[in-house]
Amino acid sequence: MKPQFQPDQVMHRIRALTLDLDNTLWDIDAVIHRAEATLWQWLGEHYPRTHDRWSADDLIGLRRDIMNEHRDRHFDLRFLRKKVLEEVAKSSGYDESLVEPAFEIFDDVRNDVELYPDVPEALEALYSRYTVVALTNGNSNLDKIGIRHLFHGVVTAVDAGAAKPDRQIFDVAVDEAGVRPEEILHVGDHPTADIDGARQAGMRTAWINRNAAVWPDELDHPDAVITTMVELRELLESAR
């Protein structure tokens, strides 16, 4: 799919970018699966009673129960994962000293991501011309990943107290970018959480569609459709 270039009167006003991370700059699904498998293996080696009490499939239901119990913290994935680990420890006859080292095992693998090939060079070029803010519902650690220096700011769901598509997280990102909403282009892969959420917050939008997905009929279209970060850079350069 070719980028859907918009008239210059739209894109030439862009002064800042907010970038989603997971599945925008890297593929996250396989990473999470690997992180959970590594954690499960580590628990069996260091806290074997957890495997007597739980199965890997059982933990899916436990996570669901924890999320239902803490609906007011649904945006804080780190908190929810630690709550799951607390319950696993307690029900298996261990104390909560299990939680922090277990979470670190998961977190280290979760942040061992491989950037899409188009990302590094494009991100460096964009950083030199725009204010670039990471805007994520996840708990990526850009220092661990090694690209924090390519972002002027980072806004997470925990920082904002709300997750995309909630207006609150986009408003925090606007403050972080220091420009008007209509001068910001939000780039993300999720039609609702990223594109519709940003649109309703008054921002311009670019849907990065790496997998030839079909745009939902019920949503207003984004300002631009791209398949790589290189296309994003070209879109903005053409407007300049």
Side-chain angles (χ1 to χ4, degrees):
M1 183 184 297
K2 296 295 185 182
Q4 305 294 307
F5 294 108
Q6 295 296 301
D8 285 352
Q9 64 263 30
V10 173
M11 291 299 170
H12 90 280
R13 296 176 181 173
I14 298 302
R15 298 172 57 196
L17 306 174
T18 53
L19 302 182
D20 175 54
L21 301 177
D22 294 333
N23 291 327
T24 293
L25 302 187
W26 54 75
D27 183 355
I28 193 58
D29 298 331
V31 173
I32 294 296
H33 180 76
R34 179 162 47 89
E36 291 179 341
T38 301
L39 171 59
W40 183 244
Q41 180 180 349
W42 183 88
L43 286 170
E45 292 172 355
H46 295 83
Y47 299 91
R49 291 198 300 274
T50 60
H51 281 206
D52 297 335
R53 172 66 178 81
W54 299 93
S55 71
D57 289 339
D58 289 337
L59 294 185
I60 297 174
L62 175 60
R63 283 197 292 270
R64 188 182 305 115
D65 292 342
I66 294 292
M67 291 179 70
N68 288 333
E69 182 182 353
H70 298 280
R71 292 179 182 275
D72 60 325
R73 298 288 295 275
H74 71 277
F75 57 84
D76 191 342
L77 301 182
R78 182 180 297 263
F79 168 83
L80 294 172
R81 284 195 176 275
K82 288 185 177 182
K83 280 296 181 184
V84 170
L85 288 169
E86 285 179 15
E87 181 59 30
V88 168
K90 182 174 65 175
S91 63
S92 303
Y94 297 109
D95 62 38
E96 292 183 4
S97 63
L98 171 158
V99 173
E100 290 301 329
F103 183 82
E104 284 303 313
I105 292 296
F106 172 86
D107 197 53
D108 284 346
V109 181
R110 186 260 183 271
N111 285 291
D112 182 15
V113 302
E114 182 177 354
L115 301 177
Y116 290 121
D118 54 278
V119 168
E121 184 176 349
L123 194 54
E124 289 184 9
L126 293 168
Y127 177 87
S128 69
R129 293 188 176 182
Y130 300 90
T131 298
V132 181
V133 177
L135 181 56
T136 179
N137 285 352
N139 55 356
S140 302
N141 185 321
L142 296 185
D143 288 307
K144 283 186 176 182
I145 293 170
I147 57 172
R148 178 62 182 86
H149 63 289
L150 295 176
F151 291 86
H152 298 90
V154 178
V155 174
T156 70
V158 175
D159 297 328
K164 297 177 291 184
D166 193 293
R167 173 69 179 261
Q168 185 170 322
I169 189 172
F170 290 102
D171 288 344
V172 173
V174 170
D175 290 342
E176 181 72 17
V179 299
R180 297 190 300 273
E182 63 271 21
E183 296 175 317
I184 300 174
L185 181 68
H186 179 67
V187 183
D189 71 292
H190 198 286
T192 302
D194 285 304
I195 305 307
D196 198 53
R199 181 188 63 80
Q200 295 199 47
M203 301 161 75
R204 294 299 184 179
T205 59
W207 181 39
I208 188 161
N209 182 14
R210 294 182 179 274
N211 301 310
V214 177
W215 182 258
D217 289 338
E218 67 273 15
L219 297 180
D220 289 346
H221 284 269
D223 293 301
V225 179
I226 56 175
T227 63
T228 67
M229 293 293 288
V230 172
E231 289 181 2
L232 173 66
R233 185 184 67 187
E234 292 172 351
L235 184 157
L236 291 166
E237 285 180 351
S238 71
R240 288 166 64 93

